[in-house]
């Protein structure tokens, strides 16, 4: 059974940085998508970044390009989201999500079957 566990959230001031981690267990194949999503109160869940763990292909939402970086450590079965130059509008609950075996990793929620419990990121001005 696939499980995803996020960590690394917290509170920072605008302009600061945080790194989120997503530890994945239970996968028996390498070619899959791991994504980071976020949801602010009263808003829909939106895709932030995704990575194909079998080929290192990455995708980013326009709102985070140049500020966020998604990466992976295959030895640790962990995907990271490095967040720099944080803005108050980045405040949200951040979720890690995993797909079944596939190559393309668009930012939509529909391809993801497994979800973590979320970690809160709060950015103050």
């Amino acid at each position: 059974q696939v499980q995803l566990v996020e960590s690394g959230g917290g509170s920072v001031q605008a302009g600061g940085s945080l790194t989120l981690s997503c530890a994945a267990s239970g996968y028996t194949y390498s070619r899959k998508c791991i994504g980071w999503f976020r949801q602010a109160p009263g808003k829909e869940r939106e895709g932030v970044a995704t990575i194909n763990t079998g080929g290192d292909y990455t995708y980013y939402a326009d709102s985070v390009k140049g500020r966020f970086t998604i990466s992976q450590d295959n030895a640790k079965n962990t995907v990271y989201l490095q967040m720099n130059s944080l803005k108050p509008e980045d405040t949200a609950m951040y979720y890690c999500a995993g797909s079944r075996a596939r190559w393309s990793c668009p930012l939509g929620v529909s391809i993801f079957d497994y979800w973590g419990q979320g970690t809160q990121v709060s950015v103050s001005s």
Side-chain angles (χ1 to χ4, degrees):
Q1 183 177 355
V2 173
Q3 289 190 323
L4 302 168
V5 179
E6 306 100 331
S7 60
S11 298
V12 295
Q13 289 192 325
S17 298
L18 281 174
T19 300
L20 305 183
S21 299
C22 173
S25 60
Y27 273 112
T28 58
Y29 44 85
S30 60
R31 181 172 49 90
K32 63 191 179 292
C33 303
I34 299 291
W36 285 98
F37 292 77
R38 65 187 181 187
Q39 188 167 19
K43 294 189 176 181
E44 300 221 344
R45 190 168 296 190
E46 64 170 346
V48 175
T50 64
I51 186 168
N52 188 292
T53 59
D56 235 12
Y57 305 111
T58 59
Y59 306 83
Y60 294 94
D62 288 343
S63 58
V64 305
K65 280 181 182 176
R67 299 189 299 123
F68 291 11
T69 303
I70 189 169
S71 62
Q72 61 176 330
D73 184 333
N74 286 333
K76 296 182 179 180
N77 293 320
T78 300
V79 171
Y80 304 97
L81 185 68
Q82 174 69 43
M83 304 185 294
N84 298 327
S85 302
L86 282 162
K87 305 175 181 180
E89 51 263 45
D90 294 318
T91 295
M93 184 71 78
Y94 282 70
Y95 297 90
C96 175
S99 75
R100 300 183 190 274
R102 59 179 295 137
W103 273 120
S104 65
C105 300
L107 288 167
V109 299
S110 62
I111 69 162
F112 292 93
D113 299 285
Y114 311 105
W115 293 84
Q117 81 287 353
T119 186
Q120 178 68 38
V121 172
S122 299
V123 185
S124 58
S125 56

